[in-house]
Amino acid sequence: TQSDEYLAHPCRDFRETHEALRIRRIGPQALLTYKGPVLDKATKTRRELEVPVGGDDAGAPLRELLRHLGFGTVTV
């Protein structure tokens, strides 16, 4: 089972900058993924950084950390 939670920055509209920040849960594993703006429109190439956060409940402390930085959930 996979679930995604997309986050919104308090001072930057990711829809306008074509970026995304999400927490992806796949079973017991959690991944924090940043997708940068499109670098090449023809191939839709973008920088993507993914950080494993592991553990059965890793999503909860990661979510709390991001909320303290001002991020809020956009969609789950």
Side-chain angles (χ1 to χ4, degrees):
T1 303
Q2 174 181 304
S3 64
D4 291 338
E5 179 178 345
Y6 285 85
L7 302 159
H9 191 278
C11 304
R12 186 163 156 180
D13 188 345
F14 285 157
R15 289 175 298 177
E16 287 181 10
T17 62
H18 304 284
E19 296 170 282
L21 183 66
R22 76 164 181 238
I23 300 169
R24 172 168 281 171
R25 303 243 339 151
I26 305 170
Q29 184 180 17
L31 300 163
L32 176 65
T33 304
Y34 166 74
K35 293 185 176 196
V38 174
L39 300 172
D40 177 10
K41 292 186 185 215
T43 62
K44 296 186 180 178
T45 303
R46 62 171 63 210
R47 179 163 192 168
E48 186 170 317
L49 304 168
E50 193 163 72
V51 180
V53 191
D56 283 340
D57 196 27
L62 175 58
R63 188 176 300 106
E64 182 178 355
L65 179 149
L66 292 168
R67 294 215 192 293
H68 280 288
L69 292 173
F71 286 90
T73 299
V74 178
T75 181
V76 176

